[in-house]
Every structure is written in structure tokens, then in C-alpha cells.
Amino acid sequence: MQTEIRDRPSFANIRVRLEPGDEIVAEADAMASMSSSIEMKTQWSGGFVNGVLKRLFGGESMFVNTFSTQTGGEIVLTQPFPGDIQCLELNGNSMFLQPGAFIACEPGVKLGLGWAGWKMFVAREGLFRLKVSGKGRVWFGAYGGIFQREIDSEYIVDSGHLVAYEPTVGVQIALAGGIFSSFFSGEGFVTRVNGPGRIYMQSRSFDGLAAWTNAHLY
Amino acid sequence: MDQTFLGGVFSETLEGGRAGADVELLPAGIGARTPDGETFVIPYRDCQVEMGGYNGRMVFCRNADRSLTIFCDAPKFPKALSLAAAGTLDDQLAIGHKKRRGESRRAFLFGTICLTAILLFIVAGYFGIRFGARSAVLALPVSIDAQIGDAAMESMDLGGPKVRDDVVVGAMQSIVDRIAPAAAVEGIDFRVHVVESAQINAFALPGGNMVVYTGLIQNASSPEQIAGVLSHEMAHATLRHGIQRIGQSLGIWAGISLLVGDVSGLTGAAVDLMQVASVNSYSRTHENEADAEGVRMLHAAEIDPSAMADFFEHLEEEEGDVPGIFAWISTHPDHASRIASVRAQLAGLPPVQYRPIDIDWGEVRKRIDKNIDTSIDNSDVPEKN
């Protein structure tokens, strides 16, 4: 299976070349176009209960589609918002994704839903988070560009910008500065992450977009 | 003691620098085997233990030059590690535990403080709006009331055509003009509009625009009873209840916007609220205040205030027969207690020689009953006089 992420970073999409016998699992509605030789099978995302939970709390759909082919073909997968897409190679390790970030994975990858906690809710990252683990490649998307950072000590990310992080990374919510500067600098709460581990961040935040849109409605 | 736990390993020798691994506690040290079959071992004596990770319970075991890290967050791992290392790592594990407890205590404290601050902010905001709006609104000049009231009057659906009959409108205006000098606030120009509708209703907009429905005139048995209702409605205007309601509602919106952090929707909300709030029912406190102020004004204008209570009683009796059209009653609930409190107030008033209202009541009733169809005007433009 050959893959290529095209039109980066603004309107990234994944072109997948499936050889006979290859499979790729994609978020429902992620398919933009495909060869007629490709078959699609729809399944509950990790079983019925897990699927419903993912829909309700994980920002993902209840179903995932598995694309396969007997003769080979091409499929283009995409995400609903403008932004970059990142490919991640899992080798038995896991990664947490923010709700809605997941796009596609290879069949060896397990999709799970984990309780993220109230502190992540305060940090505008959602009460639940998707956990991808196993062996294989995972594609996830973000709003704006994606940049990664290997952290070993403490690092600060504004709330809403953290897209993915490894379970080895500790996440704490803190005020950006003092009480006054936190609320009047526009930064409010920030996320303090502690290494070791890798984090992925997005260069725009949905909250920022929502506030900007709101301000221009009237 | 060869237990296996699910964990992972960080090493520069691995592709991508990391891999998931089965973590084993071997006699020689902590071992990790990746899915690709690569193995790593850190001897217990070289091991540096730290705790952290997303849940604070992950144990990191690092070698002396920190080039290799084996990690595991299985709940039983710390105890098994302590046993396998024959107690040599207990100090480091204890420090890790202590640090974690300290951190969770700090997090709890931080959360509690934030929650308390938010609750205090909400409570303070609520009372600030309730009491702050009143004084803030009362500090505004009365001319604002007139501007808002005129705007509302022009855009409002009055529920029927306006009556242009000079005798009818003139009679209502003269009742209002007689009460007006007793108003607590100067500068309100009371203008009466009579609207043809079966509703037994009357209302005053901020700034002095008043609407009287013909249903009210038909159901009153004396001009004093009309004066009773009108004085109550005038009291809403002089006590500036309408504008206080707008202030309160806007205050709540402003509070919400402050919390949400976006104030751009405020203008749109204000326009909507103005129309709703200026016509809709007032709060119980405002009603009682308007009753008392109405009685005071009637008394000062030497009009018999007992007619107000009489009219309430009359409406209460009739209400059972034809509900629905008694709009004035329906927006003014619990009239039994209102009648009682008006009567109680009457008993405490100093004696005054009441003068009758100088209008041709018979003629007004006759014109309302008979000539109404020929004397109406469908123009929606409010008259200015």
C-alpha cells in the first residue's frame, strides 16, 4: 500500500494506492473519491457500544469504513476542515488524539476511547480522547498546519492547540500568567505538558475560528 | 518473578525513537521486548525511576546516560518493580509517589479555587444585575424612556384599529391629565391612544405613551374605575419599570457575553428585548409598587381610589364567564391579595374631599357602543398631541 499526503498544508488529502489484498480503515465520510474496483464495508467503530460512545464523546462517527480491493485501485481520503494531515507509524506504542482528529488507519491499529478528565475539558480538548494503539500507520488531521515537538521537560501549549500526544506525556492545566494577565491577555488557560514524549500541535484553533466568526456575524 | 506488563520504550536506536513493548522484570534488570523482537535491559542498580505521564502513574525507568527509557503504567508495576529490585529502588519510587501526591493535591486545590471563583462570579453577577440595573437605569435621564417608548409604539402591533373619536380619546386624555400632576417624576408627557378591541386591557410604555382598549371602557361602570387602571399603568411609567426590565434583561445578556467573551450579539439582542420587555408583564414587585403608587396619585389628584379596588373585584367576578379577553387581569396575577392590599392602603389615607371626574361618561359609553364602526381610523401612525 502506497500513500501520499497531497496539497499540504492547507487542504491536505491522502491518496492511497491499494494493492490486491490491502485494506485501509477510514472515518465515515472521509472518502472523497475512489476507483470502482474498491469495495467498501461499513462497521461499527470498535463495536456497537464503542461506536456510540465515540460518536457521543469522541467527536468521531459511529461507523468506520473499511476499503479493500481484489484487483488494486486508488482512493482519496480527506477531512472536513482546512488543514494539514499527519501520518504516524505505530510500533506497539499508543497515541492520544483530540476528538475529531482521526481520519484513517491500517487494519492493525486499534481505536479506543479513553476518559480524558475534567482538566482536559477545561483545556477545551474534550472530556474523552481517542487512543490509537497497535501496529501500523495512522493518519490524523488538524485545523491549520501541524507541527510536532519532542519534549523532555516542561512545555506550554495554548488550550485548543494540542492535537495529539503520547501517553507518556503529562498534561496539566494552568493559568497563562497571573490572574490579571491570564484573563486580559486573551490566553486564559494553557496546557502545561511534561515529557518525555512527543506532542503534535495545530497552528490554528477551532475556538479561535468560532470567536472570530461570531464577532463578524452582526 | 517473570511478570510481563504492557509498556513501551524510548531509544534512539529504534526507528522513530519509540516502540510499544512487553516490559519484564528479569533477574538482571528491567527488560523490554518490542513487537519487532528487539530487546532492551536496564540493570536495577543503574536504574533511575521517575513518575509522570498522562495519568501521573506512569513509571519511567532510565539508564545512567538517559539514552534508554522503559516505561509502564500498569497499576501493579511499581510494587512488582520494588520487589524485583529487592528494595533498592524504593527510595526513588517513594519520591515519585510523594511528588505525585503533591501534584494531585495542588491540582485539587487549583480546581477548587477555580470552581469557587466561578460560583462567586455567577452569584455576584446575579445580584449585581438585579440591584445594579435598577440604580443604573434610574440614573438615566427620563428622555431616554420617551425615545424607547416611541420606538416601541411605532413598531408594535396594537391588536386593533385606533379610535379617532375626539369625545372618547379626549375623555381618556382628560382623566390622565388630571392624574398627571401627581406623578412622582417630572418630564413624562402622557399621551393616550384608544384602540378598538374586546380586550379588557390598558398599558403604558416607557416615556408616557398609553394604550386603552375599548373593552376596558365598556366593562368599567364609572370613569373613576378607568382612572384606577390608568393610574396603575401611569405608575409603571413614572416608576420606570419597563426600562428597569430592559436594563435587567440586557444586564443578563451582558453578563453572559462577558463570560463567553463575545459582545457583538448584544446590539441585536437589545432590539429584540426592548419590544418584548416593554409590553410583557411586569414582576410581582413592580405590580405591587404600581398599585401603591397609583393609589397615591389618585388620592393626590382627589379622585376616589376605592374605584380601583372596585374594578378589580368586578373583573374577578366576570373573569369566570369569559376568560381570555381579560388580558389585564391575566398579566396581573393574584388579584385577591392585590384588592386586599389596595383596601388596606385606602384605610390609611388621610381624608380628602374627592371630586368627580368631569367627563360626559354616558356619551363616551354611547359612542363606544354604537358609533365605533364609523369613527375608527385604520392608520397605524401614532398620533401626537
Side-chain angles (χ1 to χ4, degrees):
Chain A
M1 183 166 71
Q2 287 181 325
T3 61
E4 181 199 357
I5 301 172
R6 304 180 304 180
D7 304 323
R8 302 178 81 163
S10 305
F11 298 97
N13 55 82
I14 315 159
R15 188 177 64 171
V16 185
R17 172 84 213 158
L18 289 178
E19 302 302 332
D22 278 351
E23 270 186 14
I24 188 162
V25 180
E27 169 78 350
D29 204 30
M31 193 270 291
S33 66
M34 64 179 190
S35 314
S36 58
S37 58
I38 289 183
E39 289 162 32
M40 187 182 85
K41 201 171 74 194
T42 302
Q43 290 163 319
W44 289 102
S45 175
F48 175 77
V49 176
N50 238 323
V52 172
L53 285 177
K54 265 177 215 154
R55 176 75 203 97
L56 286 177
F57 303 111
E60 306 287 344
S61 40
M62 282 189 265
F63 302 99
V64 287
N65 297 325
T66 306
F67 297 92
S68 57
T69 175
Q70 304 288 332
T71 55
E74 193 187 277
I75 175 167
V76 176
L77 302 170
T78 187
Q79 61 172 349
F81 37 84
D84 203 359
I85 291 173
Q86 179 78 34
C87 177
L88 190 73
E89 181 110 37
L90 290 181
N91 187 15
N93 53 329
S94 351
M95 187 66 102
F96 288 126
L97 300 183
Q98 80 164 10
F102 172 75
I103 299 171
C105 66
E106 286 181 318
V109 174
K110 229 173 76 190
L111 293 172
L113 189 73
W115 169 254
W118 292 105
K119 60 180 181 183
M120 294 309 282
F121 184 69
V122 173
R124 305 278 184 107
E125 306 283 354
L127 269 179
F128 290 79
R129 56 190 158 199
L130 273 182
K131 185 180 180 181
V132 289
S133 53
K135 203 161 160 48
R137 281 177 288 179
V138 177
W139 289 266
F140 64 91
Y143 175 47
I146 299 179
F147 50 104
Q148 59 166 294
R149 195 181 171 93
E150 201 76 47
I151 48 168
D152 201 25
S153 52
E154 198 171 65
Y155 192 65
I156 291 170
V157 186
D158 193 13
S159 56
H161 284 274
L162 196 60
V163 183
Y165 54 98
E166 286 187 294
T168 54
V169 171
V171 182
Q172 253 97 40
I173 304 306
L175 291 173
I179 296 277
F180 183 85
S181 56
S182 292
F183 285 97
F184 294 95
S185 65
E187 296 295 344
F189 288 112
V190 293
T191 318
R192 275 175 197 272
V193 287
N194 285 285
R198 187 184 291 162
I199 58 171
Y200 290 90
M201 292 158 281
Q202 57 189 5
S203 63
R204 299 276 185 277
S205 88
F206 290 110
D207 288 332
L209 174 70
W212 182 86
T213 311
N214 244 344
H216 288 76
L217 282 180
Y218 288 100
Chain B
M1 213 32 180
D2 54 343
Q3 274 179 285
T4 306
F5 302 90
L6 212 59
V9 59
F10 286 118
S11 168
E12 279 158 26
T13 61
L14 283 166
E15 196 187 331
R18 73 246 303 125
D22 286 331
V23 178
E24 286 173 282
L25 295 168
L26 307 165
I30 304 159
R33 193 170 54 240
T34 68
D36 294 335
E38 282 185 79
T39 54
F40 300 87
V41 176
I42 303 175
Y44 294 118
R45 62 172 187 284
D46 295 340
C47 186
Q48 296 170 15
V49 177
E50 284 167 28
M51 292 186 86
Y54 72 103
N55 56 4
R57 291 190 197 105
M58 193 169 274
V59 180
F60 295 93
C61 307
R62 302 177 135 169
N63 66 356
D65 61 357
R66 296 173 79 88
S67 61
L68 175 66
T69 304
I70 295 173
F71 58 88
C72 178
D73 68 341
K76 287 181 180 166
F77 184 72
K79 198 159 187 196
L81 177 64
S82 160
L83 280 173
T88 53
L89 298 176
D90 282 8
D91 287 350
Q92 295 187 48
L93 279 167
I95 291 167
H97 271 299
K98 213 167 150 187
K99 198 175 139 220
R100 202 192 116 217
R101 268 204 298 277
E103 267 168 14
S104 66
R105 243 201 316 273
R106 264 199 302 282
F108 180 75
L109 201 71
F110 180 70
T112 313
I113 290 171
C114 281
L115 201 72
T116 316
I118 290 168
L119 281 176
L120 277 176
F121 189 69
I122 291 170
V123 172
Y126 174 76
F127 285 106
I129 285 161
R130 274 199 68 172
F131 300 110
R134 189 183 175 108
S135 38
V137 160
L138 293 181
L140 293 171
V142 185
S143 58
I144 302 243
D145 296 34
Q147 279 174 24
I148 291 172
D150 289 346
M153 186 76 195
E154 271 172 48
S155 61
M156 230 165 72
D157 176 16
L158 295 173
K162 275 198 188 171
V163 174
R164 293 281 180 190
D165 189 310
D166 284 344
V167 174
V168 176
V169 178
M172 294 303 119
Q173 187 68 47
S174 70
I175 295 174
V176 168
D177 287 347
R178 174 133 170 229
I179 305 170
V185 180
E186 278 182 26
I188 297 186
D189 177 21
F190 289 102
R191 282 152 295 165
V192 181
H193 310 269
V194 181
V195 172
E196 194 207 348
S197 167
Q199 286 186 55
I200 304 172
N201 200 5
F203 63 85
L205 289 170
N209 274 303
M210 301 191 63
V211 173
V212 180
Y213 289 100
T214 51
L216 178 78
I217 303 173
Q218 281 171 312
N219 271 276
S221 52
S222 71
E224 278 76 13
Q225 292 189 349
I226 304 270
V229 172
L230 292 184
S231 69
H232 169 97
E233 293 302 334
M234 288 165 78
H236 276 314
T238 61
L239 298 173
R240 310 180 76 185
H241 287 157
I243 206 114
Q244 280 184 42
R245 275 177 57 86
I246 296 173
Q248 281 183 358
S249 313
L250 277 182
I252 289 162
W253 271 97
I256 290 169
S257 303
L258 196 69
L259 277 175
V260 174
D262 173 26
V263 288
S264 52
L266 208 62
T267 336
V271 173
D272 293 345
L273 276 169
M274 208 173 287
Q275 297 209 352
V276 179
S278 53
V279 197
N280 274 7
S281 55
Y282 296 95
S283 74
R284 280 282 293 278
T285 325
H286 283 176
E287 290 307 331
N288 294 337
E289 276 179 24
D291 279 350
E293 176 67 7
V295 169
R296 190 201 63 76
M297 288 200 295
L298 288 173
H299 184 258
E302 297 174 354
I303 298 171
D304 185 2
S306 63
M308 187 197 257
D310 292 343
F311 191 57
F312 289 168
E313 277 167 2
H314 170 61
L315 291 183
E316 197 185 16
E317 284 163 19
E318 300 230 335
E319 196 183 11
D321 304 336
V322 204
I325 60 166
F326 289 89
W328 199 77
I329 279 286
S330 68
T331 55
H332 296 70
D334 198 14
H335 28 273
S337 70
R338 294 181 63 202
I339 294 166
S341 66
V342 168
R343 293 250 184 253
Q345 193 188 351
L346 289 175
L349 288 173
V352 161
Q353 186 62 49
Y354 293 123
R355 291 185 291 121
I357 295 174
D358 184 23
I359 59 168
D360 191 345
W361 179 240
E363 182 65 15
V364 169
R365 287 294 299 266
K366 211 166 76 189
R367 289 197 177 223
I368 294 264
D369 290 341
K370 291 184 180 168
N371 303 331
I372 202 120
D373 290 341
T374 55
S375 60
I376 58 169
D377 183 338
N378 282 325
S379 162
D380 277 330
V381 183
E383 57 181 356
K384 304 261 182 201
N385 48 8

